[in-house]
């Protein structure tokens, strides 16, 4: 029996993260990471929905997801290059050097039809993000009653936030500004339509705002940082799963938020001890 009574779907990106300094690639992408972390965190179902290319990189990611046990009923392979990003590490932090705009996935956005939406209705939460090319489809998902989570990027503009937020229930971002700027940013996300807005603050932890209360969660100390790739994704995943499970069990909202944030901080710290986003490295020339 699953530890958490939650079904979660990652809708959007899959890539290979190519660590040029190691000549090693890892499966990744915001949504694929979510699926892998959800499985590790103990959900009833973890599924990925998106497009793959038909090259060796695509086959590699598909093989890993099959091995982990991620459902991929609604995935398709298209004729073209799979998404990739080139990465290096600086003092344990990942630095992106280059990417191919999602490969064939970036050129052919996933358009949801009635059969896709019927499939989606079985899930508690659908997660997507800034580089998933799914913005036009989020409203369709939200209209089904399924909660929509979305991860904004450092380069998300104010215009982009205003466009996407009305179709999002749970909004996430990373934020480096001061306290006043942080509160204003979270308020903007709530005013834009989100129920919950969360900002990751790196070593300072994270802050969640529900329109009434600011919840602060310190980061859990890490003895040895191997790789910060996926730290934010793992925090998002474990919070979504823990919060959803607690609400379904009838836990009071504020307590559900506090407890889910605490568990998420602990889980994210453990992920920083893995190579790549969630392991499964493969050497390349």
């Amino acid at each position: 029996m699953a530890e958490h009574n939650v079904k979660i779907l990652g809708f959007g990106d899959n890539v290979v993260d190519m660590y040029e300094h190691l000549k090693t690639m890892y499966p990744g992408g915001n949504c694929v990471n979510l699926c892998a972390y959800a499985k590790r965190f103990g959900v009833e179902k973890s599924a990925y929905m998106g497009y793959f290319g038909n090259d060796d990189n695509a086959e590699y990611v598909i093989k890993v997801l099959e091995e982990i046990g991620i459902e991929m009923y609604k995935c398709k392979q298209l004729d073209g290059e799979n998404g990739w990003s080139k990465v290096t590490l600086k003092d344990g932090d990942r630095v992106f050097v280059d990417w191919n705009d999602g490969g064939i996935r970036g050129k052919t956005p996933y358009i949801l039809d009635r059969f896709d939406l019927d499939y989606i209705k079985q899930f508690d939460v659908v997660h997507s993000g800034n580089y998933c090319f799914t913005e036009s489809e989020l409203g369709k998902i939200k209209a089904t009653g399924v909660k929509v989570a979305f991860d904004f990027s450092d380069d998300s503009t104010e215009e982009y936030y205003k466009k996407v937020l009305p179709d999002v229930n749970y909004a996430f971002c990373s934020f480096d500004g001061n306290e006043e700027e942080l509160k204003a940013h979270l308020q903007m996300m709530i005013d834009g339509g989100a129920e919950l807005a969360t900002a990751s603050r790196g070593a300072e932890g994270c802050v969640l705002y529900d329109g009434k209360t600011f919840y602060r969660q310190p980061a859990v100390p890490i003895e040895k940082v191997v790789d910060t790739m996926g730290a934010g994704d793992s925090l998002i995943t474990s919070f979504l799963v823990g919060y959803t499970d607690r609400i379904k069990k009838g836990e009071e909202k504020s307590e559900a938020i506090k407890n889910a944030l605490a568990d998420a901080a602990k889980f994210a710290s453990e992920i920083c001890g893995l190579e790549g986003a969630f392991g499964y490295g493969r050497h390349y020339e």
Side-chain angles (χ1 to χ4, degrees):
M1 183 176 178
E3 182 178 352
H4 302 286
N5 179 27
V6 176
K7 296 179 180 179
I8 195 165
L9 173 68
F11 174 48
D13 59 338
N14 75 87
V15 302
V16 291
D17 293 319
M18 307 173 75
Y19 282 40
E20 295 193 300
H21 58 299
L22 300 175
K23 292 300 178 185
T24 301
M25 64 171 64
Y26 299 90
N30 189 251
C31 294
V32 160
N33 292 346
L34 172 119
C35 292
Y37 296 142
K39 195 72 174 180
R40 189 184 184 100
F41 200 59
V43 294
E44 183 178 345
K45 179 183 286 190
S46 177
Y48 173 65
M49 185 175 186
Y51 289 155
F52 295 96
N54 62 350
D55 54 12
D56 288 342
N57 288 342
E59 294 299 332
Y60 159 59
V61 178
I62 293 169
K63 181 179 179 182
V64 171
L65 293 181
E66 287 176 340
E67 184 175 337
I68 294 172
I70 305 304
E71 183 173 289
M72 292 183 282
Y73 290 159
K74 283 292 183 176
C75 291
K76 296 179 182 178
Q77 278 191 280
L78 304 178
D79 185 17
E81 186 178 45
N82 206 70
W84 54 257
S85 63
K86 293 182 179 180
V87 184
T88 189
L89 282 183
K90 185 175 181 180
D91 299 325
D93 286 328
R94 49 115 174 97
V95 180
F96 287 98
V97 179
D98 194 13
W99 76 308
N100 68 341
D101 296 319
I104 189 64
R105 177 179 54 81
K107 298 179 178 67
T108 315
Y110 202 125
I111 305 301
L112 300 173
D113 61 27
R114 67 176 67 184
F115 306 108
D116 298 322
L117 293 171
D118 280 343
Y119 171 78
I120 283 172
K121 288 176 185 177
Q122 69 180 291
F123 294 94
D124 298 294
V125 183
V126 174
H127 178 76
S128 197
N130 192 94
Y131 300 113
C132 294
F133 306 101
T134 58
E135 293 87 351
S136 66
E137 305 307 289
L138 301 179
K140 297 179 185 178
I141 299 172
K142 191 175 183 182
T144 68
V146 176
K147 298 291 187 180
V148 176
F150 195 87
D151 189 18
F152 291 88
S153 173
D154 292 340
D155 58 10
S156 295
T157 63
E158 182 177 348
E159 181 181 3
Y160 184 81
Y161 271 103
K162 288 181 178 179
K163 173 186 175 183
V164 175
L165 280 169
D167 297 325
V168 172
N169 299 98
Y170 307 138
F172 297 88
C173 70
S174 58
F175 195 81
D176 295 327
N178 61 36
E179 181 69 12
E180 183 178 347
E181 292 168 337
L182 169 66
K183 287 185 175 180
H185 192 74
L186 291 172
Q187 184 67 59
M188 176 273 292
M189 294 164 79
I190 293 295
D191 290 343
E195 296 174 27
L196 302 178
T198 305
S200 297
R201 307 276 280 163
E204 296 180 33
C206 66
V207 180
L208 183 149
Y209 182 51
D210 65 355
K212 295 181 180 179
T213 305
F214 289 95
Y215 299 86
R216 300 177 186 276
Q217 175 59 50
V220 173
I222 304 169
E223 289 186 14
K224 181 182 179 182
V225 176
V226 175
D227 189 351
T228 58
M229 178 74 82
D233 293 343
S234 60
L235 181 81
I236 290 171
T237 304
S238 46
F239 172 76
L240 288 173
V241 172
Y243 176 73
T244 301
D245 187 47
R246 287 179 168 85
I247 291 298
K248 289 178 74 172
K249 290 176 179 175
E251 191 167 316
E252 195 270 328
K253 179 182 175 181
S254 62
E255 288 302 307
I257 291 173
K258 292 176 186 176
N259 292 329
L261 283 175
D263 287 348
K266 182 176 183 296
F267 183 75
S269 71
E270 296 170 356
I271 294 301
C272 289
L274 300 177
E275 294 181 345
F278 55 91
Y280 294 89
R282 186 179 80 170
H283 183 74
Y284 69 92
E285 296 297 336

